[in-house]
Amino acid sequence: MSEATNFKPSSVPIRNALICVSDKAGLIEFAQELQKRSIRILSIGGTAKFLRESGITISEITDYTGFKEIMDGRVKTLHPLIHGGILARRGQDEEVMQEHGIIPIDLVVVNFYPFEAVVSNPEVSLSHAIENIDVGGPAMIRAAAKNCKHVTVAVDRGDYDLIQVSMNNNAGAVDEETRHALAVKAFEYTANYDGIIANFLGRLNPQDNLRSIDEFPAVLNRRWYYRQGMRYGENPHQKSAFYVEKSIPSGSISNAKQLQGKELSYNNIVDTDTAIECVRQFDEAPACVIVKHANPCGVAISDKLADAYNKAYSADPESAFGGIIAFNREIDEETSNKILKRQFVEVIVAPSISEPARQVLASKETIRVLACGQWPLDSDYMMYKHVSGGMLVQESDSQLFKELMVVTKRSPSTRELADLQFAWQVARMVKSNAIVYARDKMTIGIGAGQMSRITSSRVAGIKARQAGLNIKGAVMASDAFFPFRDSIDNAASEGISAVIQPGGSVRDDEVIEASNRHGMAMIFTGIRHFRH
C-alpha cells in the first residue's frame, strides 16, 4: 500500500476504530483496509458477528468495558470507556485516560436502526417503533462529530472512500478538512433522524391512546439536499439554489437528468415543474403541454406526438415563444425537427428522449433537454409553500372531480363531454381565476390569473381569436364556480356550446338558467381547483 509521506500537522492518525452499524453495505471492504493498516477494531452485537464471520479480527466492546450489554441490547455502548475514548482531547486528557484505562477512539463508524423504514409500514405497532429508536448510536456520532478536531466519523458507505483517500494521502491519517466535512454530515444525519422520530410521534393522537395518525405533526421537520446553485433567482439581483428531497419520485423535475443545454435557471425549474405536472395527467394518448410563466398556454392530445405538439403550439404561438415544452411520451426525431424549425424554446422535457431525437436537438446545444423518467400512477404528495414567517402545508390536488352532474336541459354530446373532461384537467393547472376554452382535445384559449372570472373569460376569447382559432362549438372549463352569469353570457357570444365548473355559487340557478337560454350544456363537478 502506497501512502504519501508528507504528513500534515492537522491530520490525525487512526489507530483505534469503533464500528457498529445497521447498514452493512460496503463495510467488509472498508474493514479489510483498516485491518491492513493494523488498526484495532472495536465492535459489538450483530456488527461484531458480521465482521468476524467475514474474517475481520475485532475486539468485543463488552470485553473492553467489562460490562455486558443489558436490557435486550438497550444498553451496550453507553459507557465512560467508550465515550471517554471518543470525546478525549488529545494533548489535554491523557492523564485522565491513563487513570481510567481509556484508549483513544480515532474513528467512529456508526449508523442507526432503520426507524424510517420500520414506521413506513402502516401496520407498525407503537411499541415496535419505539424499540427501533437508536440511542447509543446518535450519542456516539454526536460525540465524534463534536470532537472532530481529533476524531473521524462515518455514517454511511459513501464516507468510506473519502476516508481511505485521505489516509492514503496522509500516511494513514485523516486531514482536518475531511474530518470537518464528515462531522457536518454526521450532525445532518442525526438531525434528520431525530426529525423523522419527532414527526412520527407528533402525528400520534393522544386522544386515541396514541393509535390514530394525524395528517400534520405539531412540529414539522423536513430535510432537503443541495442539488445545484442557480445563476440567480426569479430576478438577477436575487441569489438562489435548488434543493431536493432524499427520496425523489420518478417523473419529476427534481429527478430529471439534463442531457444538454445551458444551466437550468430558477424560473426554468418552476415552469418545467408545472409542465410536467400538467402533461402527466394524460396517459391515454400522446400529449404536449407548453408552459409560459408557470401557466399552460397550449395543451393538446393527438394520435401522434408531433401532431400533439403542432396543436399545442397552434393554441397560442405568441406565448409559446421561449416556453417550456413537455411531453408524456418519448420524444421522437419528427417532433424534435418540428420544434427546432418552428420556435425558440427554453426547455424540452419528456420521460425519455430517443437517440435520433437527441442527435437532432444537439444541433441547438443551448436548449435544455431533460429526461425525467416515467411518472408513477399514484401522484399523491404533500405540498409546501413558504410565507413570511411560516409555511403552508397541504395535500396535493389529486382528486379530479366528485361527480359529473348535468345541470342543464341539454346534455353534452359525446364530443363535447370528451372536450369538457380534457379542459377540466387543464384548468386545474392554470393560475386562478382560470378559464380554459378547448376543442377536439386542444386548448384554443386560456385566461389565467385574472382578478375577476369574467376578465379571464374575455382573455380566453382574445387568445383564441389572436391564434385564428374557431371558437364556435368549443367548450369552456372554469376552475371555480361562476359568481355571476356574465361569464356565461360572454362565452355564449363567443360560440361556446358547453361548460364544466364546480358549482356551489348562491347564483347557480341564475347561471344554469343563462346556460339553458343560450342552449348550452353545463356539467357540475362538485370540486374546485384553485391554484395560487
Side-chain angles (χ1 to χ4, degrees):
M1 180 180 301
S2 62
E3 293 181 342
T5 56
N6 54 330
F7 181 86
K8 297 179 182 177
S10 61
S11 298
V12 176
I14 294 176
R15 300 185 178 90
N16 300 293
L18 185 152
I19 303 178
C20 186
V21 296
S22 174
D23 180 7
K24 298 174 176 60
L27 181 62
I28 295 302
E29 295 80 6
F30 183 57
Q32 287 171 342
E33 290 299 315
L34 298 180
Q35 188 167 260
K36 289 177 184 178
R37 298 176 184 274
S38 300
I39 294 171
R40 180 185 181 185
I41 298 176
L42 291 166
S43 191
I44 195 169
T47 304
K49 179 181 178 184
F50 177 75
L51 290 172
R52 193 182 295 109
E53 290 177 348
S54 301
I56 307 297
T57 301
I58 62 104
S59 297
E60 283 278 356
I61 287 177
T62 52
D63 293 337
Y64 166 54
T65 62
F67 194 92
K68 300 294 183 183
E69 60 178 275
I70 59 174
M71 301 177 183
D72 298 322
R74 277 191 163 202
V75 180
K76 52 189 175 185
T77 58
L78 297 170
H79 194 282
L81 292 181
I82 298 299
H83 287 274
I86 298 172
L87 287 165
R89 296 159 293 184
R90 279 49 161 179
Q92 183 174 343
D93 293 324
E94 277 75 10
E95 185 177 340
V96 175
M97 295 171 69
Q98 186 175 3
E99 177 185 353
H100 295 284
I102 300 173
I103 65 169
I105 297 174
D106 311 302
L107 170 63
V108 173
V109 182
V110 172
N111 50 58
F112 305 150
Y113 302 151
F115 183 84
E116 186 172 19
V118 169
V119 299
S120 66
N121 179 358
E123 302 300 321
V124 66
S125 67
L126 178 59
S127 61
H128 183 57
I130 293 294
E131 286 307 310
N132 277 275
I133 297 176
D134 204 319
V135 176
M140 290 187 289
I141 287 178
R142 288 175 60 85
K146 174 180 178 177
N147 202 26
C148 67
K149 182 178 180 180
H150 309 289
V151 179
T152 302
V153 60
V155 297
D156 62 41
R157 67 177 303 175
D159 300 336
Y160 301 161
D161 287 343
L162 187 64
I163 292 170
Q164 289 185 70
V165 167
S166 183
M167 293 175 73
N168 287 338
N169 292 334
N170 294 283
V174 179
D175 64 87
E176 184 176 29
E177 183 179 354
T178 299
R179 296 196 313 275
H180 177 80
L182 291 173
V184 172
K185 181 178 178 180
F187 281 122
E188 292 170 347
Y189 180 64
T190 57
N192 182 59
Y193 188 73
D194 287 340
I196 293 169
I197 295 170
N199 283 346
F200 172 76
L201 296 178
R203 291 174 61 199
L204 297 179
N205 187 351
Q207 304 301 319
D208 193 26
N209 296 318
L210 297 177
R211 289 197 301 269
S212 64
I213 300 293
D214 289 333
E215 287 298 325
F216 306 102
V219 176
L220 180 64
N221 295 279
R222 301 287 298 175
R223 192 181 190 192
W224 283 271
Y225 297 79
Y226 181 88
R227 173 75 171 269
Q228 66 188 77
M230 308 277 95
R231 285 188 301 162
Y232 51 81
E234 286 182 287
N235 301 289
H237 64 278
Q238 296 172 269
K239 294 180 180 179
S240 176
F242 183 31
Y243 287 79
V244 300
E245 294 181 295
K246 181 179 181 180
S247 299
I248 305 173
S250 179
S252 69
I253 180 59
S254 299
N255 189 62
K257 180 180 179 181
Q258 185 168 354
L259 304 180
Q260 70 165 60
K262 296 184 293 185
E263 180 183 351
L264 288 166
S265 72
Y266 181 103
N267 294 329
N268 288 156
I269 291 174
V270 172
D271 289 348
T272 304
D273 181 55
T274 299
I276 293 173
E277 192 176 2
C278 186
V279 81
R280 68 185 294 176
Q281 298 183 97
F282 308 107
D283 56 9
E284 70 273 18
C288 176
V289 172
I290 304 177
V291 165
K292 193 72 173 289
H293 293 295
N295 273 303
C297 60
V299 183
I301 295 174
S302 191
D303 294 332
K304 288 178 57 180
L305 201 67
D307 292 340
Y309 163 68
N310 280 336
K311 293 169 70 175
Y313 176 84
S314 300
D316 191 349
E318 289 182 341
S319 299
F321 179 84
I324 311 294
I325 306 177
F327 298 95
N328 67 343
R329 299 285 194 275
E330 180 177 80
I331 298 178
D332 53 36
E333 183 178 11
E334 179 186 2
T335 305
S336 300
N337 275 314
K338 285 184 179 294
I339 295 171
L340 297 192
K341 289 177 180 178
R342 174 173 287 163
Q343 70 168 111
F344 166 65
V345 56
E346 289 279 358
V347 178
I348 297 174
V349 61
S352 59
I353 318 294
S354 71
E355 188 55 37
R358 289 187 66 171
Q359 293 177 12
V360 170
L361 296 171
S363 65
K364 297 286 187 180
E365 59 184 21
T366 59
I367 295 177
R368 303 164 180 90
V369 178
L370 307 179
C372 64
Q374 193 59 51
W375 33 80
L377 294 177
D378 183 5
S379 60
D380 287 347
Y381 52 91
M382 301 303 289
M383 300 175 68
Y384 303 88
K385 185 181 181 69
H386 284 276
V387 295
S388 297
M391 184 165 62
L392 296 166
V393 183
Q394 66 173 349
E395 296 175 332
S396 60
D397 184 11
S398 58
Q399 185 177 357
L400 188 59
F401 51 77
K402 288 183 179 178
E403 61 179 340
L404 294 178
M405 181 172 62
V406 178
V407 295
T408 49
K409 295 177 181 178
R410 185 174 78 80
S411 294
S413 67
T414 301
R415 193 271 302 171
E416 287 174 329
L417 181 59
D419 282 343
L420 286 169
Q421 290 178 297
F422 167 78
W424 182 245
Q425 287 177 285
V426 176
R428 69 173 179 161
M429 295 294 134
V430 178
K431 298 290 186 182
S432 298
N433 290 309
I435 293 292
V436 174
Y437 286 4
R439 184 190 185 100
D440 298 325
K441 294 188 177 179
M442 163 187 168
T443 59
I444 62 172
I446 297 176
Q450 300 301 311
M451 285 68 76
S452 67
R453 196 156 299 276
I454 181 59
T455 303
S456 291
S457 300
R458 291 167 181 153
V459 169
I462 291 170
K463 286 287 185 180
R465 287 190 294 277
Q466 283 181 332
L469 299 173
N470 181 19
I471 303 176
K472 188 172 179 61
V475 304
M476 177 174 73
S478 172
D479 65 338
F481 63 66
F482 293 100
F484 305 100
R485 62 173 289 169
D486 50 5
S487 293
I488 302 300
D489 294 331
N490 180 79
S493 69
E494 297 276 16
I496 293 294
S497 64
V499 178
I500 187 168
Q501 60 132 323
S505 168
V506 295
R507 292 187 175 88
D508 274 350
D509 289 343
E510 178 182 322
V511 170
I512 294 169
E513 192 276 332
S515 300
N516 284 328
R517 179 170 296 183
H518 295 300
M520 302 165 71
M522 180 174 285
I523 290 179
F524 280 6
T525 66
I527 193 167
R528 186 183 75 184
H529 287 299
F530 271 170
R531 186 179 178 90
H532 286 81

